[in-house]
Amino acid sequence: MVGQRKTLEVQRGIDKANVLIEALPYIKTFAGKTVVIKYGGAAMTDEALKRSVALDVILMRYVGMQPVVVHGGGPEITRAMEQAGLKPTFISGFRVTDRETMKIVEMVMVGQINQELVALINSSGGSAVGLSGKDGGLIRAKKAGPVATAEPPAGSVEPEVDLGFVGEIIAVDERVLLALERDGFTPVVAPTGVDEAGVTYNINADLAAGAIASALRAEKLIFLTDTDGILDKDDSLIPTLNRQRVEQLVVDGVISGGMLPKVRACLAALNNGVEKTHIVNGTIPHALLLEFFTSEGVGTEIVG
């Protein structure tokens, strides 16, 4: 029995070594490369998944990669609004953001979620620094224009709705991110932006991640979601898509809702020098490592 247990232990050790050997060419490929991760969905609320993501990011940094994390916070913002007696309103997928809502957005995303994620990475052995889009002029924005709605608010005859303090990204000043990367830190970004007058805006996290990936000429842009990736009309995973196929799926209504900003961010990033974009299931433990360091990968890859 002792000899048999010893043999099993040796075999487990060999299996672990084989995993490392499989990862070796991918580690070599991505060493020194910047990757942008949009962190959202269940991976932000499930404690085990939160730790899984943090450990993945730390390992990526230790093997020479340059991860940048951009996070959302939609469900947490909604809960905070409801606790404050405010009713969340969404038009065409965007949160209508009045002055009181903007205060809650900053409080939750910058003061709570961002700091919790930074603390988790740091307490797990990494070195992270939290930023908002206002820090170092990282995200320069302007007020987004009104959006069309098929169901105007009661009493309104306007076909378009003012979103309030929702911003459109004008530019990303990547210098603060590059400085942090050079000094060995992992930037963790809360997606707010500021205009020339100092007004703060709520920025869609998917679009912010795409803009940051473009500014950094990232090797990869990855979105963590609650689905396996982009699914066809039969709910089967589509492993790879090109621009033409994506646009057709949007027209057909297969890609809709919360997936739309993600695919738009992917296409914009590909236009601006990002090599590859992926939409993966963040409910799978260590999904980032599976995507980067295994031959199979996970999720949907969108290519130019």
Side-chain angles (χ1 to χ4, degrees), residues 138-169:
L138 175 59
I139 298 177
R140 188 155 59 86
K142 68 177 182 178
K143 177 179 171 62
V147 296
T149 174
E151 300 179 5
S156 172
V157 295
E158 295 296 329
E160 295 184 324
V161 175
D162 185 347
L163 295 173
F165 291 90
V166 172
E168 176 184 333
I169 298 173

PDB file of all heavy atoms in Angstrom, residues 138-169:
ATOM      1  N   LEU A 138      -6.561  59.898 -16.680  1.00  0.00           N
ATOM      2  CA  LEU A 138      -6.530  58.628 -17.410  1.00  0.00           C
ATOM      3  C   LEU A 138      -7.599  58.558 -18.506  1.00  0.00           C
ATOM      4  O   LEU A 138      -7.307  58.212 -19.651  1.00  0.00           O
ATOM      5  CB  LEU A 138      -6.700  57.463 -16.431  1.00  0.00           C
ATOM      6  CG  LEU A 138      -6.817  56.067 -17.037  1.00  0.00           C
ATOM      7  CD1 LEU A 138      -5.590  55.719 -17.857  1.00  0.00           C
ATOM      8  CD2 LEU A 138      -7.038  55.028 -15.936  1.00  0.00           C
ATOM      9  N   ILE A 139      -8.854  58.863 -18.157  1.00  0.00           N
ATOM     10  CA  ILE A 139      -9.937  58.795 -19.139  1.00  0.00           C
ATOM     11  C   ILE A 139     -10.561  60.176 -19.295  1.00  0.00           C
ATOM     12  O   ILE A 139     -11.200  60.694 -18.369  1.00  0.00           O
ATOM     13  CB  ILE A 139     -11.022  57.782 -18.724  1.00  0.00           C
ATOM     14  CG1 ILE A 139     -10.433  56.375 -18.628  1.00  0.00           C
ATOM     15  CG2 ILE A 139     -12.183  57.798 -19.724  1.00  0.00           C
ATOM     16  CD1 ILE A 139     -11.426  55.319 -18.146  1.00  0.00           C
ATOM     17  N   ARG A 140     -10.350  60.766 -20.448  1.00  0.00           N
ATOM     18  CA  ARG A 140     -10.973  62.061 -20.745  1.00  0.00           C
ATOM     19  C   ARG A 140     -12.269  61.797 -21.489  1.00  0.00           C
ATOM     20  O   ARG A 140     -12.307  61.028 -22.455  1.00  0.00           O
ATOM     21  CB  ARG A 140     -10.026  62.937 -21.566  1.00  0.00           C
ATOM     22  CG  ARG A 140     -10.524  64.367 -21.747  1.00  0.00           C
ATOM     23  CD  ARG A 140      -9.357  65.312 -22.000  1.00  0.00           C
ATOM     24  NE  ARG A 140      -8.595  64.927 -23.176  1.00  0.00           N
ATOM     25  CZ  ARG A 140      -8.890  65.302 -24.426  1.00  0.00           C
ATOM     26  NH1 ARG A 140      -9.949  66.069 -24.648  1.00  0.00           N
ATOM     27  NH2 ARG A 140      -8.131  64.930 -25.424  1.00  0.00           N
ATOM     28  N   ALA A 141     -13.325  62.444 -21.018  1.00  0.00           N
ATOM     29  CA  ALA A 141     -14.652  62.134 -21.546  1.00  0.00           C
ATOM     30  C   ALA A 141     -15.431  63.397 -21.865  1.00  0.00           C
ATOM     31  O   ALA A 141     -15.033  64.512 -21.522  1.00  0.00           O
ATOM     32  CB  ALA A 141     -15.421  61.291 -20.523  1.00  0.00           C
ATOM     33  N   LYS A 142     -16.540  63.185 -22.520  1.00  0.00           N
ATOM     34  CA  LYS A 142     -17.521  64.244 -22.732  1.00  0.00           C
ATOM     35  C   LYS A 142     -18.901  63.650 -22.490  1.00  0.00           C
ATOM     36  O   LYS A 142     -19.068  62.417 -22.467  1.00  0.00           O
ATOM     37  CB  LYS A 142     -17.432  64.813 -24.143  1.00  0.00           C
ATOM     38  CG  LYS A 142     -17.853  63.837 -25.235  1.00  0.00           C
ATOM     39  CD  LYS A 142     -17.806  64.502 -26.609  1.00  0.00           C
ATOM     40  CE  LYS A 142     -18.274  63.525 -27.697  1.00  0.00           C
ATOM     41  NZ  LYS A 142     -18.270  64.163 -29.030  1.00  0.00           N
ATOM     42  N   LYS A 143     -19.859  64.493 -22.290  1.00  0.00           N
ATOM     43  CA  LYS A 143     -21.219  64.022 -22.059  1.00  0.00           C
ATOM     44  C   LYS A 143     -21.708  63.260 -23.285  1.00  0.00           C
ATOM     45  O   LYS A 143     -21.592  63.738 -24.413  1.00  0.00           O
ATOM     46  CB  LYS A 143     -22.142  65.204 -21.777  1.00  0.00           C
ATOM     47  CG  LYS A 143     -23.617  64.838 -21.580  1.00  0.00           C
ATOM     48  CD  LYS A 143     -24.442  66.079 -21.287  1.00  0.00           C
ATOM     49  CE  LYS A 143     -25.935  65.758 -21.297  1.00  0.00           C
ATOM     50  NZ  LYS A 143     -26.324  64.783 -20.271  1.00  0.00           N
ATOM     51  N   ALA A 144     -22.248  62.064 -23.050  1.00  0.00           N
ATOM     52  CA  ALA A 144     -22.786  61.278 -24.152  1.00  0.00           C
ATOM     53  C   ALA A 144     -24.072  61.914 -24.651  1.00  0.00           C
ATOM     54  O   ALA A 144     -24.830  62.521 -23.892  1.00  0.00           O
ATOM     55  CB  ALA A 144     -23.058  59.847 -23.688  1.00  0.00           C
ATOM     56  N   GLY A 145     -24.306  61.770 -25.944  1.00  0.00           N
ATOM     57  CA  GLY A 145     -25.524  62.309 -26.519  1.00  0.00           C
ATOM     58  C   GLY A 145     -26.740  61.513 -26.108  1.00  0.00           C
ATOM     59  O   GLY A 145     -26.628  60.418 -25.533  1.00  0.00           O
ATOM     60  N   PRO A 146     -27.928  62.041 -26.384  1.00  0.00           N
ATOM     61  CA  PRO A 146     -29.158  61.308 -26.065  1.00  0.00           C
ATOM     62  C   PRO A 146     -29.247  60.036 -26.888  1.00  0.00           C
ATOM     63  O   PRO A 146     -28.656  59.933 -27.962  1.00  0.00           O
ATOM     64  CB  PRO A 146     -30.259  62.301 -26.439  1.00  0.00           C
ATOM     65  CG  PRO A 146     -29.630  63.212 -27.438  1.00  0.00           C
ATOM     66  CD  PRO A 146     -28.191  63.322 -27.052  1.00  0.00           C
ATOM     67  N   VAL A 147     -29.956  59.061 -26.342  1.00  0.00           N
ATOM     68  CA  VAL A 147     -30.111  57.784 -27.046  1.00  0.00           C
ATOM     69  C   VAL A 147     -31.575  57.562 -27.385  1.00  0.00           C
ATOM     70  O   VAL A 147     -32.476  58.004 -26.672  1.00  0.00           O
ATOM     71  CB  VAL A 147     -29.586  56.602 -26.202  1.00  0.00           C
ATOM     72  CG1 VAL A 147     -28.094  56.720 -25.973  1.00  0.00           C
ATOM     73  CG2 VAL A 147     -30.323  56.513 -24.883  1.00  0.00           C
ATOM     74  N   ALA A 148     -31.782  56.868 -28.485  1.00  0.00           N
ATOM     75  CA  ALA A 148     -33.144  56.574 -28.929  1.00  0.00           C
ATOM     76  C   ALA A 148     -33.746  55.483 -28.060  1.00  0.00           C
ATOM     77  O   ALA A 148     -33.054  54.587 -27.577  1.00  0.00           O
ATOM     78  CB  ALA A 148     -33.127  56.142 -30.389  1.00  0.00           C
ATOM     79  N   THR A 149     -35.031  55.577 -27.851  1.00  0.00           N
ATOM     80  CA  THR A 149     -35.744  54.549 -27.114  1.00  0.00           C
ATOM     81  C   THR A 149     -37.071  54.274 -27.789  1.00  0.00           C
ATOM     82  O   THR A 149     -37.741  55.187 -28.271  1.00  0.00           O
ATOM     83  CB  THR A 149     -35.986  54.957 -25.645  1.00  0.00           C
ATOM     84  OG1 THR A 149     -36.803  53.970 -25.029  1.00  0.00           O
ATOM     85  CG2 THR A 149     -36.653  56.320 -25.538  1.00  0.00           C
ATOM     86  N   ALA A 150     -37.421  53.015 -27.826  1.00  0.00           N
ATOM     87  CA  ALA A 150     -38.695  52.644 -28.439  1.00  0.00           C
ATOM     88  C   ALA A 150     -39.867  52.940 -27.515  1.00  0.00           C
ATOM     89  O   ALA A 150     -41.014  52.965 -27.938  1.00  0.00           O
ATOM     90  CB  ALA A 150     -38.693  51.162 -28.803  1.00  0.00           C
ATOM     91  N   GLU A 151     -39.568  53.162 -26.218  1.00  0.00           N
ATOM     92  CA  GLU A 151     -40.616  53.410 -25.238  1.00  0.00           C
ATOM     93  C   GLU A 151     -40.286  54.679 -24.462  1.00  0.00           C
ATOM     94  O   GLU A 151     -39.703  54.617 -23.383  1.00  0.00           O
ATOM     95  CB  GLU A 151     -40.761  52.227 -24.287  1.00  0.00           C
ATOM     96  CG  GLU A 151     -41.120  50.924 -24.987  1.00  0.00           C
ATOM     97  CD  GLU A 151     -41.231  49.759 -24.027  1.00  0.00           C
ATOM     98  OE1 GLU A 151     -41.118  49.992 -22.812  1.00  0.00           O
ATOM     99  OE2 GLU A 151     -41.421  48.631 -24.484  1.00  0.00           O
ATOM    100  N   PRO A 152     -40.613  55.859 -24.977  1.00  0.00           N
ATOM    101  CA  PRO A 152     -40.323  57.107 -24.280  1.00  0.00           C
ATOM    102  C   PRO A 152     -40.991  57.148 -22.919  1.00  0.00           C
ATOM    103  O   PRO A 152     -42.039  56.531 -22.711  1.00  0.00           O
ATOM    104  CB  PRO A 152     -40.908  58.180 -25.217  1.00  0.00           C
ATOM    105  CG  PRO A 152     -41.030  57.510 -26.537  1.00  0.00           C
ATOM    106  CD  PRO A 152     -41.308  56.085 -26.250  1.00  0.00           C
ATOM    107  N   PRO A 153     -40.382  57.840 -21.932  1.00  0.00           N
ATOM    108  CA  PRO A 153     -40.993  57.970 -20.607  1.00  0.00           C
ATOM    109  C   PRO A 153     -42.386  58.567 -20.709  1.00  0.00           C
ATOM    110  O   PRO A 153     -42.697  59.297 -21.649  1.00  0.00           O
ATOM    111  CB  PRO A 153     -40.025  58.905 -19.868  1.00  0.00           C
ATOM    112  CG  PRO A 153     -38.737  58.776 -20.608  1.00  0.00           C
ATOM    113  CD  PRO A 153     -39.095  58.518 -22.038  1.00  0.00           C
ATOM    114  N   ALA A 154     -43.231  58.257 -19.729  1.00  0.00           N
ATOM    115  CA  ALA A 154     -44.601  58.740 -19.725  1.00  0.00           C
ATOM    116  C   ALA A 154     -44.640  60.255 -19.833  1.00  0.00           C
ATOM    117  O   ALA A 154     -43.906  60.964 -19.125  1.00  0.00           O
ATOM    118  CB  ALA A 154     -45.314  58.287 -18.449  1.00  0.00           C
ATOM    119  N   GLY A 155     -45.476  60.749 -20.709  1.00  0.00           N
ATOM    120  CA  GLY A 155     -45.623  62.194 -20.878  1.00  0.00           C
ATOM    121  C   GLY A 155     -44.610  62.806 -21.806  1.00  0.00           C
ATOM    122  O   GLY A 155     -44.671  63.991 -22.115  1.00  0.00           O
ATOM    123  N   SER A 156     -43.637  62.008 -22.262  1.00  0.00           N
ATOM    124  CA  SER A 156     -42.595  62.532 -23.143  1.00  0.00           C
ATOM    125  C   SER A 156     -42.944  62.252 -24.593  1.00  0.00           C
ATOM    126  O   SER A 156     -43.449  61.181 -24.928  1.00  0.00           O
ATOM    127  CB  SER A 156     -41.241  61.895 -22.813  1.00  0.00           C
ATOM    128  OG  SER A 156     -40.276  62.264 -23.775  1.00  0.00           O
ATOM    129  N   VAL A 157     -42.683  63.209 -25.434  1.00  0.00           N
ATOM    130  CA  VAL A 157     -42.889  63.000 -26.864  1.00  0.00           C
ATOM    131  C   VAL A 157     -41.551  62.899 -27.584  1.00  0.00           C
ATOM    132  O   VAL A 157     -41.504  62.775 -28.794  1.00  0.00           O
ATOM    133  CB  VAL A 157     -43.733  64.146 -27.478  1.00  0.00           C
ATOM    134  CG1 VAL A 157     -45.126  64.138 -26.887  1.00  0.00           C
ATOM    135  CG2 VAL A 157     -43.056  65.495 -27.264  1.00  0.00           C
ATOM    136  N   GLU A 158     -40.477  62.988 -26.808  1.00  0.00           N
ATOM    137  CA  GLU A 158     -39.141  62.940 -27.405  1.00  0.00           C
ATOM    138  C   GLU A 158     -38.759  61.497 -27.728  1.00  0.00           C
ATOM    139  O   GLU A 158     -38.912  60.604 -26.888  1.00  0.00           O
ATOM    140  CB  GLU A 158     -38.104  63.538 -26.443  1.00  0.00           C
ATOM    141  CG  GLU A 158     -38.302  65.017 -26.167  1.00  0.00           C
ATOM    142  CD  GLU A 158     -38.125  65.866 -27.413  1.00  0.00           C
ATOM    143  OE1 GLU A 158     -37.316  65.467 -28.280  1.00  0.00           O
ATOM    144  OE2 GLU A 158     -38.806  66.876 -27.529  1.00  0.00           O
ATOM    145  N   PRO A 159     -38.257  61.219 -28.932  1.00  0.00           N
ATOM    146  CA  PRO A 159     -37.822  59.869 -29.277  1.00  0.00           C
ATOM    147  C   PRO A 159     -36.465  59.526 -28.679  1.00  0.00           C
ATOM    148  O   PRO A 159     -36.021  58.400 -28.763  1.00  0.00           O
ATOM    149  CB  PRO A 159     -37.752  59.907 -30.802  1.00  0.00           C
ATOM    150  CG  PRO A 159     -37.422  61.331 -31.108  1.00  0.00           C
ATOM    151  CD  PRO A 159     -38.139  62.153 -30.059  1.00  0.00           C
ATOM    152  N   GLU A 160     -35.799  60.509 -28.086  1.00  0.00           N
ATOM    153  CA  GLU A 160     -34.481  60.280 -27.502  1.00  0.00           C
ATOM    154  C   GLU A 160     -34.487  60.730 -26.043  1.00  0.00           C
ATOM    155  O   GLU A 160     -35.247  61.624 -25.651  1.00  0.00           O
ATOM    156  CB  GLU A 160     -33.408  61.029 -28.284  1.00  0.00           C
ATOM    157  CG  GLU A 160     -33.251  60.523 -29.721  1.00  0.00           C
ATOM    158  CD  GLU A 160     -32.127  61.224 -30.438  1.00  0.00           C
ATOM    159  OE1 GLU A 160     -31.937  62.432 -30.194  1.00  0.00           O
ATOM    160  OE2 GLU A 160     -31.432  60.580 -31.230  1.00  0.00           O
ATOM    161  N   VAL A 161     -33.608  60.095 -25.252  1.00  0.00           N
ATOM    162  CA  VAL A 161     -33.557  60.367 -23.821  1.00  0.00           C
ATOM    163  C   VAL A 161     -32.159  60.816 -23.419  1.00  0.00           C
ATOM    164  O   VAL A 161     -31.154  60.218 -23.837  1.00  0.00           O
ATOM    165  CB  VAL A 161     -33.954  59.107 -23.014  1.00  0.00           C
ATOM    166  CG1 VAL A 161     -33.779  59.346 -21.518  1.00  0.00           C
ATOM    167  CG2 VAL A 161     -35.385  58.713 -23.324  1.00  0.00           C
ATOM    168  N   ASP A 162     -32.086  61.864 -22.612  1.00  0.00           N
ATOM    169  CA  ASP A 162     -30.819  62.341 -22.058  1.00  0.00           C
ATOM    170  C   ASP A 162     -30.389  61.392 -20.944  1.00  0.00           C
ATOM    171  O   ASP A 162     -31.137  61.146 -19.997  1.00  0.00           O
ATOM    172  CB  ASP A 162     -31.015  63.765 -21.512  1.00  0.00           C
ATOM    173  CG  ASP A 162     -29.716  64.394 -21.031  1.00  0.00           C
ATOM    174  OD1 ASP A 162     -28.717  63.651 -20.881  1.00  0.00           O
ATOM    175  OD2 ASP A 162     -29.693  65.613 -20.793  1.00  0.00           O
ATOM    176  N   LEU A 163     -29.186  60.861 -21.041  1.00  0.00           N
ATOM    177  CA  LEU A 163     -28.694  59.897 -20.056  1.00  0.00           C
ATOM    178  C   LEU A 163     -28.096  60.550 -18.821  1.00  0.00           C
ATOM    179  O   LEU A 163     -27.695  59.850 -17.885  1.00  0.00           O
ATOM    180  CB  LEU A 163     -27.648  58.989 -20.705  1.00  0.00           C
ATOM    181  CG  LEU A 163     -28.157  58.080 -21.834  1.00  0.00           C
ATOM    182  CD1 LEU A 163     -26.990  57.361 -22.490  1.00  0.00           C
ATOM    183  CD2 LEU A 163     -29.184  57.088 -21.329  1.00  0.00           C
ATOM    184  N   GLY A 164     -28.006  61.878 -18.802  1.00  0.00           N
ATOM    185  CA  GLY A 164     -27.422  62.547 -17.640  1.00  0.00           C
ATOM    186  C   GLY A 164     -25.904  62.487 -17.660  1.00  0.00           C
ATOM    187  O   GLY A 164     -25.271  62.757 -18.679  1.00  0.00           O
ATOM    188  N   PHE A 165     -25.327  62.073 -16.530  1.00  0.00           N
ATOM    189  CA  PHE A 165     -23.863  62.063 -16.396  1.00  0.00           C
ATOM    190  C   PHE A 165     -23.267  60.749 -16.903  1.00  0.00           C
ATOM    191  O   PHE A 165     -22.455  60.104 -16.224  1.00  0.00           O
ATOM    192  CB  PHE A 165     -23.462  62.316 -14.946  1.00  0.00           C
ATOM    193  CG  PHE A 165     -23.763  63.712 -14.483  1.00  0.00           C
ATOM    194  CD1 PHE A 165     -24.988  64.007 -13.902  1.00  0.00           C
ATOM    195  CD2 PHE A 165     -22.844  64.732 -14.655  1.00  0.00           C
ATOM    196  CE1 PHE A 165     -25.286  65.298 -13.483  1.00  0.00           C
ATOM    197  CE2 PHE A 165     -23.130  66.029 -14.245  1.00  0.00           C
ATOM    198  CZ  PHE A 165     -24.361  66.315 -13.666  1.00  0.00           C
ATOM    199  N   VAL A 166     -23.650  60.366 -18.094  1.00  0.00           N
ATOM    200  CA  VAL A 166     -23.040  59.232 -18.787  1.00  0.00           C
ATOM    201  C   VAL A 166     -22.072  59.795 -19.805  1.00  0.00           C
ATOM    202  O   VAL A 166     -22.426  60.697 -20.571  1.00  0.00           O
ATOM    203  CB  VAL A 166     -24.100  58.348 -19.476  1.00  0.00           C
ATOM    204  CG1 VAL A 166     -23.432  57.290 -20.349  1.00  0.00           C
ATOM    205  CG2 VAL A 166     -24.984  57.683 -18.427  1.00  0.00           C
ATOM    206  N   GLY A 167     -20.846  59.268 -19.796  1.00  0.00           N
ATOM    207  CA  GLY A 167     -19.803  59.853 -20.622  1.00  0.00           C
ATOM    208  C   GLY A 167     -19.434  59.031 -21.833  1.00  0.00           C
ATOM    209  O   GLY A 167     -19.597  57.812 -21.857  1.00  0.00           O
ATOM    210  N   GLU A 168     -18.938  59.726 -22.808  1.00  0.00           N
ATOM    211  CA  GLU A 168     -18.353  59.114 -24.001  1.00  0.00           C
ATOM    212  C   GLU A 168     -16.859  59.382 -23.960  1.00  0.00           C
ATOM    213  O   GLU A 168     -16.424  60.516 -23.715  1.00  0.00           O
ATOM    214  CB  GLU A 168     -18.974  59.740 -25.243  1.00  0.00           C
ATOM    215  CG  GLU A 168     -18.385  59.261 -26.556  1.00  0.00           C
ATOM    216  CD  GLU A 168     -18.967  59.995 -27.745  1.00  0.00           C
ATOM    217  OE1 GLU A 168     -20.126  60.465 -27.644  1.00  0.00           O
ATOM    218  OE2 GLU A 168     -18.261  60.123 -28.760  1.00  0.00           O
ATOM    219  N   ILE A 169     -16.046  58.358 -24.184  1.00  0.00           N
ATOM    220  CA  ILE A 169     -14.596  58.504 -24.074  1.00  0.00           C
ATOM    221  C   ILE A 169     -14.050  59.273 -25.267  1.00  0.00           C
ATOM    222  O   ILE A 169     -14.317  58.927 -26.417  1.00  0.00           O
ATOM    223  CB  ILE A 169     -13.914  57.127 -23.970  1.00  0.00           C
ATOM    224  CG1 ILE A 169     -14.381  56.400 -22.718  1.00  0.00           C
ATOM    225  CG2 ILE A 169     -12.388  57.276 -23.949  1.00  0.00           C
ATOM    226  CD1 ILE A 169     -13.897  54.972 -22.625  1.00  0.00           C
TER     227      ILE A 169
END
